Amino acid sequence: MTSKPASQADLARVGNGDSDTMPATFGYLGAIFLGPVIPLAVYLLRSRRSPFMRYHAATALNLSLTAALYGLCCLILGGLLLLDSVTAALIVAIPVGLVIWVSALRYLIQGAIAANRGERSDAPNWICAHIVG
């Protein structure tokens, strides 16, 4: 089963009072607190209702999965640096992890605001790998 990405025309028909905006916003906000769990639930339960829901649920899920993968890489980097010294591990791993977390948080908040308004939100490919379509 293939699906086409939501176009601007598909997303433009969603208004503030539409029932799709709240679950889409909830997917982004859930990703902030619980990682990919809430966006995955929104994607599995509501993505077939409209292209708007599918787009925003997939984007929130992709953002949270990419941030989780970056976090795992940061833990591996910290573990390898820990073999040298604790100081080296902390000096490198904590700032890298913090920058990744703040960047993902920024795009999740922007996505929640756009979903609440019924608009499309695009995140750059370096922070939002297209894992789920």
Side-chain angles (χ1 to χ4, degrees):
M1 181 171 127
T2 60
S3 64
K4 64 177 184 168
S7 66
Q8 197 66 15
D10 291 336
L11 297 175
R13 64 187 172 91
V14 177
N16 284 336
D18 199 291
S19 64
D20 287 347
T21 59
M22 189 56 78
T25 304
F26 183 66
Y28 285 107
L29 295 177
I32 293 171
F33 298 107
L34 294 175
V37 174
I38 300 296
L40 179 62
V42 171
Y43 182 79
L44 292 175
L45 298 174
R46 307 276 255 166
S47 66
R48 293 184 183 198
R49 290 188 178 201
S50 71
F52 177 82
M53 279 299 302
R54 182 173 184 82
Y55 172 79
H56 282 289
T59 302
L61 184 57
N62 287 332
L63 273 166
S64 61
L65 285 174
T66 305
L69 289 174
Y70 276 138
L72 179 65
C73 291
C74 192
L75 285 174
I76 292 170
L77 175 68
L80 289 173
L81 288 173
L82 191 61
L83 295 173
D84 181 40
S85 73
V86 175
T87 307
L90 293 175
I91 288 175
V92 173
I94 289 178
V96 169
L98 187 63
V99 166
I100 292 168
W101 180 73
V102 168
S103 298
L105 185 66
R106 173 185 173 212
Y107 289 108
L108 285 169
I109 291 171
Q110 283 180 352
I113 291 169
N116 195 32
R117 291 180 182 165
E119 300 171 351
R120 183 182 176 122
S121 172
D122 290 324
N125 289 335
W126 68 269
I127 195 71
C128 184
H130 297 285
I131 301 167
V132 177

